[in-house]
Amino acid sequence: MADTVEDTVLNPDVLTKYRTAASIALAVLEEVKSWLADGEKIIDLCERGDELVEKRLGTVYKGKSVIKSTNTPVTISPSSFVTPFTPLKSDTEDAELKIKAGEVVKIQLGAQIDGYGAIVGDTVVVPQEKGKKAEITGREADLLLATHYANELLLRLMVPPGLLATGSEDEKKKAAAEKAPTQSKIISLVEKIAKAYEVNVVQHTTSWLFERNDIEGKKKIILAPADGSKGDGTPEVGEVWGVEVGMSLGSGKVKELDKRSTLLRRTNTTYGLKRPSSRQTLSEIVKKFGTFPFSLRQLEDEKAAKVGVIESIRAGVLREYKPSAEADGSAVSRLFTTVAITKNGLTRLAAPPALDLDSIKSDKKIEDEEILKILERPTSKSTGSKSKNKKKKKKPAKKAAAEEEDDSDESSDDE
């Protein structure tokens, strides 16, 4: 369990701030998704989305000395892009980028209140017309299903052992004494799902512990680690995590793009900046965003900001999120969920909507019994009576998806 209660979700005031930030992120995500259509400019969608986040933040905690901002600006990443993408108007070529009907795009954004932030991300197939559903078949269906089930699996593996145990006291103690799955075990299970759908996990896909004013805490889970990187730590009661799952129709290997880094974040490094323009830009960043990610286009003077961040980047005061993509140009998916771990289990604070499994068909399926059993596990304790008609049993993997909606509803009562 987390060491102190004051800054964790075990404190009702903190949980409320997380929930409020999450509700804003979710509402804006749905709005941005409704704008998607063939030929829409990415920059226009990002700017409109950011304006909506700011507008909604302005309606909460009014009159209180509470810092509020985006936790991650609205990003819309084209099919093969791996990192969140947010172009600038002053970069002419990127400003003209448009989404296409049938393209797999990733939307990610977030909000924070008093340093408690929530991020949510979804993968969407662009429809021909606004408000219409795109037909998802073939390899795109494989990709989305693999991502969905890998996400459901990972969330269940993050529930501390014994937390949801039932039965006698001895049975509960025995369950609590079990060890949490190791990082290598988690990686192995996720890779089995990827293999079932003939896709690959995207390199360096990372889930982080969220702390106040920090979306990259001390603990992390890395799927498909490379270059000697490895995860560290296990989820515990009282913690909030940002859970990421990324899959690729290609190799899963990542390459840097020859594009400007427009998404940045202040680090804890201190350095005496020499240039007045650098100090002025950093001052604006700290005032508006603290240590949360931001886009250069969110600063007052975009062109001046391009120059103003150079010294801070070189000195390590600002960190760049360098644009990257699937090495072979294949389509990539990503889901991002912010979860809280409470005494009642896992609460999805900000989660992409459940995939419509009835409308997405694939000739592939998960057959591994261990994975199917994990997918049937609940993610939270039942806090209310269930009056459901008993119908014929669904397939285990599909049953997990149905339970997902139940868990989300029930966890809204968790504290």
Side-chain angles (χ1 to χ4, degrees):
M1 186 175 288
D3 292 334
T4 59
V5 170
E6 187 179 352
D7 283 339
T8 76
V9 289
L10 301 180
N11 178 344
D13 290 339
V14 169
L15 182 57
T16 297
K17 288 172 183 174
Y18 271 119
R19 286 190 187 279
T20 306
S23 67
I24 290 172
L26 287 168
V28 175
L29 172 66
E30 288 308 303
E31 194 73 24
V32 173
K33 284 168 64 175
S34 73
W35 300 338
L36 298 182
D38 185 56
E40 290 287 339
K41 283 187 179 181
I42 292 176
I43 181 65
D44 292 342
L45 298 173
C46 289
E47 287 186 333
R48 287 174 63 192
D50 281 342
E51 288 172 4
L52 192 53
V53 173
E54 291 296 336
K55 182 179 179 182
R56 287 181 175 270
L57 281 170
T59 66
V60 299
Y61 288 88
K62 293 190 289 185
K64 297 182 180 180
S65 56
V66 173
I67 296 174
K68 303 172 287 184
S69 72
T70 56
N71 183 15
T72 291
V74 174
T75 64
I76 298 178
S77 307
S79 181
S80 66
F81 281 43
V82 171
T83 46
F85 180 64
T86 176
L88 305 180
K89 276 191 172 178
S90 54
D91 288 343
T92 311
E93 186 178 336
D94 284 352
E96 291 301 314
L97 282 174
K98 299 177 181 178
I99 56 176
K100 302 171 185 176
E103 182 180 11
V104 176
V105 301
K106 286 76 65 182
I107 305 171
Q108 189 165 307
L109 61 104
Q112 68 87 15
I113 295 170
D114 199 21
Y116 303 106
I119 299 174
V120 64
D122 200 4
T123 295
V124 184
V125 177
V126 179
Q128 187 69 47
E129 299 176 33
K130 288 181 186 177
K132 301 286 185 181
K133 264 192 175 182
E135 185 179 353
I136 303 171
T137 58
R139 293 296 284 145
E140 284 75 20
D142 296 339
L143 180 66
L144 295 193
L145 287 169
T147 312
H148 167 77
Y149 287 123
N151 185 55
E152 290 302 311
L153 177 91
L154 181 54
L155 292 176
R156 283 160 173 78
L157 294 175
M158 291 180 70
V159 177
L163 188 64
L164 306 181
T166 56
S168 68
E169 287 304 312
D170 285 344
E171 288 173 326
K172 290 178 182 178
K173 284 180 182 178
K174 185 179 178 181
E178 292 179 6
K179 290 185 178 180
T182 62
Q183 299 253 345
S184 58
K185 178 64 173 180
I186 292 171
I187 292 168
S188 171
L189 291 171
V190 170
E191 285 178 345
K192 283 183 180 180
I193 291 180
K195 187 176 180 181
Y197 287 95
E198 297 179 11
V199 299
N200 283 296
V201 183
V202 175
Q203 264 182 349
H204 304 298
T205 296
T206 306
S207 300
W208 292 91
L209 170 68
F210 279 8
E211 297 175 334
R212 190 177 188 184
N213 295 312
D214 195 349
I215 60 167
E216 295 182 8
K218 296 173 185 176
K219 297 180 182 182
K220 58 185 175 181
I221 298 170
I222 304 177
L223 306 179
D227 306 325
S229 60
K230 62 180 182 178
D232 183 34
T234 56
E236 297 179 74
V237 171
E239 295 179 343
V240 172
W241 281 70
V243 182
E244 180 183 49
V245 172
M247 295 284 181
S248 170
L249 287 179
S251 66
K253 294 180 179 178
V254 177
K255 67 174 182 181
E256 282 189 16
L257 296 172
D258 185 21
K259 290 184 179 292
R260 181 192 304 279
S261 298
T262 65
L263 191 65
L264 301 97
R265 179 179 173 231
R266 190 183 131 222
T267 69
N268 292 322
T269 300
T270 56
Y271 177 82
L273 299 173
K274 310 272 190 301
R275 297 180 180 180
S277 60
S278 300
R279 294 195 295 270
Q280 183 179 344
T281 301
L282 183 61
S283 176
E284 183 186 356
I285 290 166
V286 172
K287 184 179 179 181
K288 286 184 175 179
F289 309 106
T291 54
F292 290 107
F294 64 92
S295 168
L296 291 175
R297 62 183 168 75
Q298 292 178 292
L299 300 179
E300 191 172 333
D301 187 329
E302 185 180 292
K303 290 183 179 179
K306 286 180 178 180
V307 178
V309 297
I310 293 174
E311 187 182 1
S312 289
I313 291 171
R314 287 175 179 167
V317 175
L318 292 177
R319 171 193 167 187
E320 297 178 286
Y321 291 87
K322 295 186 177 180
S324 62
E326 158 64 58
D328 64 17
S330 299
V332 169
S333 65
R334 180 174 63 250
L335 295 179
F336 199 102
T337 309
T338 300
V339 301
I341 303 170
T342 75
K343 62 183 180 181
N344 289 324
L346 187 143
T347 298
R348 302 177 198 226
L349 295 171
L355 204 62
D356 182 0
L357 298 171
D358 291 329
S359 66
I360 301 176
K361 305 296 182 183
S362 170
D363 58 359
K364 304 171 183 63
K365 62 181 179 179
I366 300 167
E367 296 182 328
D368 186 284
E369 286 300 322
E370 182 181 13
I371 290 173
L372 292 173
K373 285 179 181 177
I374 293 171
L375 287 172
E376 289 192 1
R377 291 182 196 167
T379 56
S380 63
K381 292 178 182 176
S382 175
T383 56
S385 60
K386 292 183 181 180
S387 57
K388 294 182 181 178
N389 296 325
K390 292 185 178 180
K391 297 181 180 179
K392 62 179 180 179
K393 284 189 177 180
K394 297 181 180 180
K395 293 179 181 179
K398 287 192 175 183
K399 183 179 177 183
E403 285 179 353
E404 174 195 353
E405 293 184 14
D406 298 338
D407 295 340
S408 297
D409 293 340
E410 292 159 9
S411 64
S412 65
D413 296 325
D414 294 349
E415 289 185 352

